Amino acid sequence: MSGRLQDKRALVTGATSNIGRAIAERFAAEGAHVVVSGRSAERGTEVVDAIRARGGRADFLRADLNGSAEASRALAEEAASVLGGGIDVLVNNAGIYPGDSTADTDEKSFDHVYAVNVKAPFFLTAAIAPAMAEAGGGAIVNLGSWIARLGIPIGALYSSSKGAMETLTRAWAAEFGPRGVRVNAISPGVVHTPVPGEAHPGEAMMNGTPAGGVGSPEAIAHAAVYLAGDEAAFVHGIVLDVDGGRTTAAVIAA
């Protein structure tokens, strides 16, 4: 452990797999006490056990962040209690990704995506950011997506919800920054943990990028540590692209 987040109290939503799990594990490795939040108690316990086995501090809280203000407030209260009375870092990572076309998206799906991807973090931030400010400050890290700014012909609903989160990042930075709460976001590219013998459907989307392939969840976790820590004390309202260059550069093959 290098201690970049030593004694910080952190809540990471959607932390039982993929990017969320990597962030929770990296935060704990950097000295934070982490609340791992998610819907699956089995997977949550697995993450917590892995963190504790490496000497870190972590607890699991089951939460179904369905978009209701009540669910978000309940998680905020439980997490603050488990962490000893407050939260220093919030990572709004939980989200769902339907890849349907616009014409194939029904109203129920639309409402569900916005409930999970936008309403839930909105009300969670509403419950936590003022308390952070009263306690002297804190950091909030939102998860956006590269397809919020580079249009692709699938997943319009998801990309619009992530665009909303990136806009909220800037608005919250203006609202809470003067009170000591830094709000920033990460925009990941195609990220997954490779499975031997299996091709990921998103791999083709990273062709022609400087990175030349998909990224790892750990790459996003390192960025989250930076934005959550004191090294980013002068960083407010940014969307940090961790996407292998997908949205900024194209490699022209010979």
Side-chain angles (χ1 to χ4, degrees):
M1 296 188 210
S2 62
R4 295 168 70 192
L5 299 178
Q6 192 64 43
D7 297 326
K8 299 287 187 183
R9 299 165 297 179
L11 167 61
V12 183
T13 68
T16 60
S17 64
N18 202 26
I19 289 174
R21 175 171 184 165
I23 291 174
E25 291 179 336
R26 179 46 48 189
F27 274 22
E30 295 290 350
H33 181 183
V34 182
V35 164
V36 172
S37 171
R39 289 179 296 177
S40 170
E42 180 180 357
R43 292 192 303 178
T45 300
E46 179 186 339
V47 176
V48 167
D49 288 347
I51 288 173
R52 290 177 177 174
R54 292 190 288 267
R57 292 176 293 168
D59 293 278
F60 173 71
L61 285 179
R62 187 186 181 283
D64 184 5
L65 295 176
N66 57 16
S68 69
E70 292 79 8
S72 291
R73 282 196 293 263
L75 176 59
E77 291 171 4
E78 290 181 67
S81 177
V82 167
L83 292 169
I87 297 169
D88 302 306
V89 180
L90 166 64
V91 179
N92 284 313
N93 168 72
I96 54 176
Y97 175 71
D100 295 336
S101 69
T102 299
D104 290 332
T105 299
D106 59 30
E107 186 176 6
K108 182 178 179 180
S109 298
F110 185 101
D111 290 343
H112 184 48
V113 168
Y114 265 77
V116 175
N117 291 7
V118 183
K119 281 186 68 180
F122 183 94
F123 286 110
L124 191 58
T125 298
I128 292 174
M132 283 181 173
E134 290 176 12
I140 297 173
V141 181
N142 299 318
L143 270 294
S145 173
W146 67 279
I147 63 171
R149 277 165 295 131
L150 181 65
I152 63 172
I154 58 172
L157 176 58
Y158 174 82
S159 63
S160 69
S161 73
K162 287 303 182 178
M165 285 307 298
E166 294 188 4
T167 297
L168 284 170
T169 296
R170 293 182 285 271
W172 286 337
E175 182 177 357
F176 298 113
R179 300 168 61 189
V181 180
R182 294 184 303 100
V183 186
N184 294 288
I186 299 169
S187 176
V190 179
V191 170
H192 79 103
T193 301
V195 177
E198 292 187 14
H200 190 276
E203 290 178 0
M205 294 183 180
M206 296 302 289
N207 291 339
T209 65
V214 301
S216 69
E218 289 72 24
I220 312 304
H222 288 302
V225 168
Y226 166 68
L227 291 176
D230 295 339
E231 294 166 320
F234 200 51
V235 181
H236 291 261
I238 72 159
V239 178
L240 179 59
D241 294 321
V242 187
D243 63 2
R246 175 72 286 172
T247 57
T248 57
V251 176
I252 307 301

